[in-house]
Each structure stands twice: as C-alpha cells, then as structure tokens.
Amino acid sequence: MTKPLMLAGCLLAALPAFAEDMPTLTVYAPEYFTSEWGPGPKIEEGFEAICKCDLKFVAGDVLPRILLEGENTQADVVIGLNTDVSARARATGLFAPHGQDLASLTMPVAWEDAVFLPFDWSETAFIYDRTKLANPPASFADLLAAPADAYKIAIQDPRASTSGLALLLWVKHIYGDKAGEAWAKLSPKVLTVTQDWSESYGLFTEGEADMVLSFTTSPAYHRIAEGDDTKVAAIFPEGHYFYAELAAQLKGAKHPELAQAFMDYILSDAFQGMIATANWSYPVIEKPGFLPEGFATLPRPETTFFYSEEEAEALRGPAVEEWRANFGK
C-alpha cells in the first residue's frame, strides 16, 4: 500500500472514533418541542454549530420523568417546564443555578429566579376564527353568561397539560372563591377536554371546535406561516394569565460545561431571535428584528397576571378539584 493510501485508510478508520468521542448534551423536552414544526431542530442546529458536541433531545413529559428518575436522571438540561410546575421541580433539589444576568429580560413581569431560566412567554387566550364565529365573547364574564350552546370550546386537561393548568389558574385569579361557579357556567360550552394542546388545536383548525384554549401569540403562526389572518385571540378586560416556558441545568449533569453553555445560548441573540417563528411565542429579550410584522401587531391584553410558583402549587390541588366537580372526571 502506498503512503497516501495508507494515510487515507488511517483517517477513515479514525472517523468513527472521533464521532464517538464527541460529547453528548442530553436535554429533556416536551414532544411538541422536538417535532419538525417545533423549535427543537433549529435550536439543535444552532447550538451544535458552536458547541462541538451532539445535542440530543429526549422527548416526553419532562416533570414526571425527572420526578421518577431523581438523581439517576440522564438529563444534563431540561427545557419546557413552566412557572406553574417549577415548585415541584425545585423541590427535588436536582437543579443548579443558571448563572445568567437577568437585567436584559423584557417580559411583562419581573423575573429574579436564579435556577429556572425563561426562554419565551405568552398569555393564555381563547382563539377563534372571525369568519366562523360572528359573536365572540368580549370578556370572560361574557363567555360565562352566554347560552350553553353558544360555543363549542376545546380545552386541555389540567392534570396532564400545563396549558390546561394555566386555564385553571386564570379562572382562579379572576373568580377566586367563586371559581367553582365559573366552571359550572363554562362547562356546558366545553366540547371536549384533551390530554394535550396539539389535540385541542387540531380540533379547532379542523372546524370541530369554535374556540380553543391556546395563547395570545397563536394567531401569529396562521398570519406568517399560512398567510391567514382569520384566527384571532379573544382579549378580555379582566386580564390574561402569564405563561413562561423555562429551562434549567442539572446539578449532576454529565457535561456541566456544556450544560452551562446551553444556558448561555438561551439568552443569546441567535436563540432569542428565532423564538417568535420557531415556537410562536414572545422572546424573553426583545430586540429590533426579533418580531416579524405579523407578530408585532398582535393585540395584547391590558392586564397580565400570574401566580408565583409557591402560590400556583398551593392552589393547584383545590383548583383541580373545582374543575373535576364540573367535569365529572
């Protein structure tokens, strides 16, 4: 064998070893996140371009998996939690500080959490098609007062879905001790309760539901990706519930430096600049060019409110029971 051929053979033989030696950053994420239409593929491509690593998303229910695995978890980072479940995640003691300067955040609420880092946000809302629903509700009170057959609404189960839980807390924030009465008025208008957001939203886009529980930013997808401006968020004067998605790194990460680099990447211009059209939410840092025209002109509620994670956790059990009393599940 000539020397050039010998050299080529050695290089080819070494390639698999190089691939195997490349470190893998394991990130637990919800299934929607890793789908081809979710933000995962773009995030994976962007981070791998700078990390000299293999970013591996593991899709599924993030919090239940972390609670089950405990200190034996294979995750270096988790992404896709929210403030309504972060208390249970924090109580595990599995997470490390994110190490980020939060002064640059532009969210409508103050954020000082040293462990859970927000990467996008929106507000819960009911979405409808303005060409099909002639008289959408002008307020939450209007929605509750409407006749039982006025609307067919798809919502998510609060025991399985964080968006469904956000609806519970939205109702609780507005109606307090009378939340049970509010559910009694709303339940006749609920066509179905699904296990996740995707199923509910599919029923809406297929025309089986008049309205769907989603987010104030959901119409941006239809405007930008489909050129369709018929999907609208019903903006209520009572206010809308704040929903931020979070990431955190594990204390026991196998690759702590990569985990920290990923947390750094979350607040980078590259990451935040893709959020609007990758996850159809507001970035937590807003800069010129981060919001396309069809996004920036979305109507916003005058009032945005949320519960701290301690408040949300304390209210979760009683709120679920109020919900179950009206849905018989």
Side-chain angles (χ1 to χ4, degrees), residues 169-225:
L169 297 174
W170 185 12
V171 170
K172 195 69 176 176
H173 202 288
I174 294 174
Y175 292 101
D177 293 340
K178 295 184 178 180
E181 298 175 22
W183 281 114
K185 295 176 181 177
L186 183 61
S187 60
K189 306 172 188 73
V190 173
L191 171 68
T192 188
V193 178
T194 65
Q195 289 297 296
D196 58 38
W197 172 88
S198 297
E199 186 179 355
S200 288
Y201 211 83
L203 292 172
F204 168 67
T205 57
E206 291 165 8
E208 294 186 38
D210 299 323
M211 303 176 70
V212 61
L213 172 67
S214 192
F215 303 96
T216 55
T217 48
S218 297
Y221 168 77
H222 301 284
R223 288 185 179 189
I224 297 168

Side-chain angles (χ1 to χ4, degrees), residues 108 123 216 235-240 299-305:
E123 294 121 335
T216 55
I235 303 298
F236 294 159
E238 293 97 335
H240 289 247
R300 282 285 320 285
E302 293 185 6
T303 303
T304 296
F305 46 72

